[in-house]
Amino acid sequence: MVKQMIVVLAGLAVTAGLALAQPKSNTEANMIHVKRITPVLYVEEIEPCLKFWTERMGFANAAQVPDGNKIGFVMLQKDGTEIMYQTFASQEKDAPAIAQMARKGPTFLFIEVEKLDPIIAAMKGVALALPERKTFYGSREIGVKDPAGHFIIFAEFPPKPQS
């Protein structure tokens, strides 16, 4: 599982590199097929974040890797989406060369949802980092921090007009 995680991280790095590289032609750019982008959030401990996503948001614990008597890595999934958490200690063991970069966080996630009201209900008791607002680009949003301090903005966009 740790090797798979390293492959995922390498894949994310390659994907980021592809996004920065200039294709030689539009045809070349159209040949690139990204199958999935999954954020990996680094934390001191996973357990509080696991509860945040499973109990509040209904995500399933798809896979986890123990690290001593704690969880070192977890993969959470729901409705075709995925988020991963890894502890700093586990990451240090996997790839010490990038360990200091992982500690620079926090991460900011922007998550588009179909309806914001169920999210607001699920976040009851969680301090808002961004109170509910309507944006200039038309979305209705709220922002919270997960138990590790990563920022998460949930956004509902109005239906697109029928043409």
Side-chain angles (χ1 to χ4, degrees):
M1 185 60 181
V2 173
K3 287 183 181 181
Q4 290 173 331
M5 188 169 38
I6 290 169
V7 170
V8 169
L9 291 174
L12 288 171
V14 168
T15 302
L18 290 174
L20 297 174
Q22 292 294 324
K24 294 178 182 174
S25 70
N26 192 30
T27 303
E28 186 177 309
N30 289 333
M31 292 174 54
I32 297 170
H33 177 71
V34 177
K35 293 173 71 175
R36 179 187 337 215
I37 296 177
T38 302
V40 180
L41 307 181
Y42 293 99
V43 297
E44 288 296 335
E45 61 180 344
I46 289 173
E47 289 77 3
C49 298
L50 179 62
K51 289 177 75 171
F52 176 86
W53 288 96
T54 57
E55 293 177 9
R56 291 184 181 274
M57 301 292 295
F59 274 67
N61 182 343
Q64 69 182 44
V65 177
D67 188 18
N69 62 349
K70 296 276 196 172
I71 301 171
F73 171 84
V74 69
M75 179 187 311
L76 304 165
Q77 297 175 336
K78 180 178 183 180
D79 300 331
T81 63
E82 184 172 71
I83 187 166
M84 298 177 188
Y85 280 87
Q86 184 173 5
T87 63
F88 294 120
S90 172
Q91 195 281 328
E92 174 73 34
K93 293 172 192 171
D94 285 344
I98 62 170
Q100 289 304 313
M101 289 185 289
R103 290 192 175 271
K104 291 185 177 183
T107 301
F108 291 77
L109 300 178
F110 184 88
I111 302 174
E112 184 177 339
V113 296
E114 189 173 317
K115 297 285 181 192
L116 191 61
D117 290 330
I119 298 296
I120 292 170
M123 294 300 128
K124 187 176 182 182
V126 175
L128 293 180
L130 176 67
E132 185 177 339
R133 68 181 187 159
K134 178 86 175 196
T135 68
F136 70 91
Y137 45 87
S139 71
R140 183 175 157 230
E141 302 176 350
I142 64 163
V144 299
K145 286 184 180 181
D146 76 1
H150 298 287
F151 291 91
I152 306 167
I153 295 175
F154 296 98
E156 172 189 336
F157 286 85
K160 293 183 179 175
Q162 300 293 325
S163 40

